[in-house]
Amino acid sequence: MKDKNERFPSYVPAHYRIGVKLRKAVRQAAVRRVERAARLRPPAGVMPDGEGVWAPGEPPKTAPPGAINRSAIWIEEDLARPEFDVLAKRMEALKEKLRGRGLKFTNTAATFLPRMFYPRSERTKLWENLWTIRHSGVKAGHTAIDIGGASTPFSFYLADMGCKVSVVDNDWGNCGTLFNSDYVARKMGWDLKAFDRDVARRLPFASGSIDRVFSICTIEHLTSDVRRLMMAEVGRVLKPGGIAAITMCYDPNHTVLTVDRGLRFGYRAKFDADVILPSGLRIYGNTDLLDWRQERGFLGAIFLEKPA
């Protein structure tokens, strides 16, 4: 019973909670219908992995120097760097400030439930957050979009550092993340607004109007068709010289019927077709996207730039 009470932040009004619960019931029924259909035929809009290309041997013990587009194999090495330690402390200080004011932020499972704050996944998410902040060149005064990040420490960090932040999400966890995002922004005086919007639709922003676009481990949950639409929109809204920072994962044991197992550099043809080519952007930084061993999972980051 305790978890049910903690599903929503205490300040989410009753009428909003009821609406979210009704939407959850409708969504669950729709998902069940789609999954039943998927058992009878292959799901539409999913590009198969194809033949993988894997770097020989084991990954080196230290990361390739200067490689910002890469796997998260060297998480501990990265987080031990002084510049990342500074960012991590700022992130934790922001969390403490929010806790002190009774304001909520989500865990890596996109919920507010304390039992779903897993130390290992929080650690990998910290790497994703700090890696993209560090290497995207984001700064105060930038206009930024975070796709799939309502109520995350990441979107709140961008707002707290002085960015104008638009969050595009649709609260698939059905726990009030969109309401909470706007509520926290008002309490903190941030320039942050959440948009309840499916990424299968056109982004509600003018062409060439955004300095930075971020998407932290969202794109792997989509079909190929939706990924391509999303990336085309990312390319459209970015300013010339703007940067998109995308993280993604791949789970060889993923069994959801309606999507694939995710994205990784080793399946380069699929990665290019789903991410890079539709965007019209070019890789920012190193272009050698190394991947090791097909049977392992994958977590990685890529930075793309709109030509000036």
Side-chain angles (χ1 to χ4, degrees):
M1 190 65 182
K2 183 179 179 182
D3 281 345
K4 291 183 179 179
N5 294 334
E6 293 177 341
R7 183 174 185 84
F8 296 90
S10 59
Y11 43 76
V12 175
H15 72 273
Y16 192 94
R17 298 183 189 212
I18 293 170
V20 167
K21 290 176 181 178
L22 290 174
R23 184 165 71 167
K24 179 180 179 181
V26 172
R27 282 177 169 173
Q28 286 179 333
V31 168
R32 283 194 290 269
R33 287 195 298 271
V34 172
E35 287 186 340
R36 282 196 295 269
R39 290 188 178 94
L40 300 175
R41 66 178 186 276
V46 174
M47 180 179 180
D49 288 335
E51 186 175 350
V53 178
W54 316 104
E58 293 292 322
K61 293 184 179 181
T62 58
I68 65 172
N69 301 305
R70 61 176 172 84
S71 165
I73 291 171
W74 303 277
I75 283 179
E76 296 308 320
E77 175 190 338
D78 293 334
L79 293 179
R81 296 179 185 179
E83 63 269 29
F84 284 93
D85 184 58
V86 170
L87 291 175
K89 287 177 178 176
R90 289 175 184 168
M91 180 78 75
E92 188 54 40
L94 174 59
K95 292 179 180 180
E96 285 301 315
K97 187 192 302 184
L98 294 172
R99 292 186 189 106
R101 298 188 61 172
L103 301 172
K104 299 290 187 178
F105 50 86
T106 58
N107 52 42
T108 55
T111 78
F112 302 104
L113 296 173
R115 65 180 174 83
M116 298 187 75
F117 279 80
Y118 305 120
R120 181 181 177 186
S121 57
E122 293 296 322
R123 188 76 171 163
T124 57
K125 187 63 66 180
L126 179 65
W127 178 86
E128 293 178 80
N129 292 343
L130 302 188
W131 193 258
T132 50
I133 290 167
R134 170 72 177 172
H135 295 295
S136 67
V138 65
K139 61 185 180 181
H142 273 167
T143 54
I145 299 173
D146 182 5
I147 299 175
S151 289
T152 60
F154 180 79
S155 63
F156 289 163
Y157 187 98
L158 295 177
D160 193 61
M161 69 181 289
C163 295
K164 180 179 180 179
V165 182
S166 298
V167 179
V168 178
D169 208 341
N170 56 12
D171 192 10
W172 279 103
N174 300 291
C175 56
T177 55
L178 292 161
F179 180 95
N180 183 75
S181 188
D182 286 339
Y183 182 90
V184 171
R186 288 194 302 271
K187 292 294 184 180
M188 298 298 293
W190 292 334
D191 192 351
L192 181 152
K193 178 177 174 56
F195 293 82
D196 186 357
R197 197 172 186 89
D198 195 311
V199 292
R201 298 172 59 195
R202 185 179 175 92
L203 293 175
F205 309 103
S207 299
S209 62
I210 305 297
D211 294 297
R212 298 291 184 271
V213 178
F214 300 93
S215 185
I216 307 298
C217 260
T218 294
I219 197 168
E220 70 269 17
H221 300 290
L222 311 174
T223 63
S224 297
D225 288 349
V226 178
R227 287 173 189 152
R228 295 174 189 185
L229 175 60
M230 170 184 148
M231 291 308 302
E233 282 294 284
V234 168
R236 179 184 68 80
V237 302
L238 272 176
K239 294 178 180 178
I243 290 175
I246 311 290
T247 69
M248 81 297 298
C249 66
Y250 182 94
D251 181 355
N253 300 312
H254 192 54
T255 57
V256 175
L257 293 173
T258 55
V259 295
D260 53 29
R261 292 181 173 86
L263 289 167
R264 66 186 303 168
F265 297 158
Y267 295 121
R268 184 61 188 269
K270 177 180 176 180
F271 186 82
D272 286 351
D274 278 9
V275 178
I276 298 177
L277 295 178
S279 73
L281 307 175
R282 64 190 179 197
I283 296 177
Y284 176 75
N286 58 295
T287 57
D288 53 333
L289 306 182
L290 300 178
D291 198 349
W292 283 269
R293 297 184 63 177
Q294 178 179 3
E295 69 273 16
R296 288 180 176 172
F298 175 88
L299 174 65
I302 187 143
F303 298 82
L304 304 173
E305 182 180 30
K306 188 167 185 173

